[in-house]
Amino acid sequence: MTSMTIGRLAAAAEVGVETVRYYQRRGLLAVPEPTHGQVRHYGDGALARLRFIRRAQQLGFSLDEIADLLGLDEHTDRNAARALAKEKLAQIDERMARLSAMRNALTELVDCCEHSSTAQPCPILHTLAHPDERQNAAYSKSIAAG
Amino acid sequence: MTSMTIGRLAAAAEVGVETVRYYQRRGLLAVPEPTHGQVRHYGDGALARLRFIRRAQQLGFSLDEIADLLGLDEHTDRNAARALAKEKLAQIDERMARLSAMRNALTELVDCCEHSSTAQPCPILHTLAHPDERQNAAYSKSIAAG
DNA sequence: CTTGACTCCGTACCTGACTACAGGCTTTAG
DNA sequence: CTAAAGCCTGTAGTCAGGTACGGAGTCAAG
């Protein structure tokens, strides 16, 4: 099956037809000349390229970054590829750190809410409203650090 | 300083004027009636509300969720607040898990790229292009799991 | 030979959280 | 008094990564 219409190509890559066209507009995928008539046909190269794009997305790369990756050569551009991957890794670490700070703050607020007297106002809402009175140190500590 | 114009209010909350207006359009902040003339004036309540919004954002809540939080009462709605916080916590865990899978896959690819022979094609690009030949198990393992 | 599925192309819409601008009025500093 | 800064309303644009739709052409099966 070396020749498919856009619909079959999209199905094979498990993306929508509109997505394929979108990638073409973004310059990630070539638009072949129409064979006999108006309809364009795609080969295995196009399918491989679509799969490359989807896998790179799963690793966290944006479409712009994927355009860069697609421009690299397996044999001559190892350094460039590794640099992009390391940069992405750093971005992921940053995002994880931010999420981790949120997680710490929220966890402490929830714990506090679960173990404080019912007579008191809700620690979660109260801390959001008046963090300066920090009954629970969680919020200030975790967030100020991040 | 119980009465400020929108500019001073925004400055005090460290957000832009346009952001304040945006929150008003979203229904997060009341639009007061203009006092003598056309200009509207805001009190400390508005400032507290803006700060609440910003802090809740830092904890990961969306503006829609913050609208819910703002509708809760510190004294009577503890359960609701805790439920929202726990739900958010679960979402954060999910996002962290996904990031962690990416991180594992990328780390292994980078390691592999650093320690494989220069004669070979770049493991990063090669795996993206042909993951089925998995020279490095990283990608398939980490991503398939997530 | 018709019907229905598919393709082509262009344009508009979606989410979320802003951000910018235009055109007119008000307030304040000098 | 004047000029600059600030405020008002309303509309539109930004980013990412798509998704939807309209109208016309084309292709394959029955």
Side-chain angles (χ1 to χ4, degrees):
Chain A
M1 191 160 306
T2 304
S3 184
M4 335 167 230
T5 62
I6 197 171
R8 293 191 183 282
L9 171 66
E14 301 182 82
V15 299
V17 168
E18 297 304 318
T19 305
V20 175
R21 292 197 203 284
Y22 174 66
Y23 291 165
Q24 291 178 330
R25 285 200 294 281
R26 293 275 308 236
L28 296 175
L29 189 66
V31 182
E33 286 308 306
T35 351
H36 54 79
Q38 282 271 0
V39 177
R40 300 169 195 282
H41 289 266
Y42 301 83
D44 291 337
L47 179 54
R49 216 165 157 89
L50 277 181
R51 292 197 166 135
F52 184 108
I53 293 170
R54 292 200 50 76
R55 286 188 291 263
Q57 277 188 310
Q58 286 173 344
L59 288 179
F61 291 101
S62 72
L63 294 184
D64 274 351
E65 291 161 343
I66 292 170
D68 292 345
L69 286 173
L70 284 166
L72 298 181
D73 182 283
E74 282 187 15
H75 301 283
T76 62
D77 295 322
R78 287 180 69 137
N79 289 349
R82 206 164 55 231
L84 289 173
K86 281 186 168 176
E87 199 186 325
K88 183 52 60 184
L89 215 34
Q91 289 168 18
I92 288 174
D93 284 345
E94 205 181 308
R95 287 163 64 192
M96 286 185 73
R98 262 191 269 109
L99 283 179
S100 183
M102 288 180 192
R103 213 199 106 91
N104 289 342
L106 264 178
T107 302
E108 172 125 5
L109 285 176
V110 167
D111 283 357
C112 190
C113 187
E114 253 152 16
H115 300 107
S116 79
S117 132
T118 326
Q120 297 285 99
C122 172
I124 299 173
L125 295 171
H126 193 78
T127 301
L128 282 171
H130 316 281
D132 37 321
E133 301 175 19
R134 92 264 84 88
Q135 297 179 307
N136 28 40
Y139 171 84
S140 6
K141 241 192 295 183
S142 317
I143 289 295
Chain B
M1 190 166 304
T2 303
S3 183
M4 335 167 230
T5 63
I6 198 171
R8 293 191 184 283
L9 171 66
E14 300 182 84
V15 299
V17 168
E18 297 304 319
T19 304
V20 175
R21 293 197 203 284
Y22 174 67
Y23 291 165
Q24 291 179 328
R25 285 198 296 280
R26 293 274 309 237
L28 296 175
L29 189 67
V31 182
E33 287 307 306
T35 351
H36 56 79
Q38 282 272 0
V39 177
R40 299 168 195 283
H41 289 266
Y42 300 83
D44 291 336
L47 178 54
R49 216 164 158 90
L50 277 181
R51 292 198 166 134
F52 184 108
I53 294 169
R54 272 176 47 83
R55 285 187 292 261
Q57 277 187 311
Q58 287 173 344
L59 289 179
F61 291 100
S62 71
L63 293 184
D64 274 351
E65 291 162 343
I66 293 170
D68 292 345
L69 286 173
L70 283 167
L72 298 181
D73 182 283
E74 283 186 15
H75 301 282
T76 62
D77 295 322
R78 287 181 70 139
N79 289 348
R82 207 164 56 229
L84 289 173
K86 281 185 169 178
E87 197 186 328
K88 182 53 60 185
L89 215 34
Q91 288 168 18
I92 289 175
D93 284 347
E94 205 180 308
R95 287 163 66 191
M96 286 184 74
R98 262 191 267 109
L99 284 178
S100 185
M102 288 181 193
R103 213 199 106 90
N104 289 341
L106 264 178
T107 301
E108 173 127 3
L109 284 175
V110 167
D111 283 358
C112 189
C113 186
E114 254 152 14
H115 300 107
S116 78
S117 131
T118 324
Q120 297 284 101
C122 172
I124 298 172
L125 296 171
H126 193 78
T127 300
L128 282 171
H130 316 283
D132 37 322
E133 301 174 21
R134 93 259 84 92
Q135 297 182 308
N136 28 42
Y139 171 82
S140 7
K141 240 191 301 184
S142 316
I143 289 296

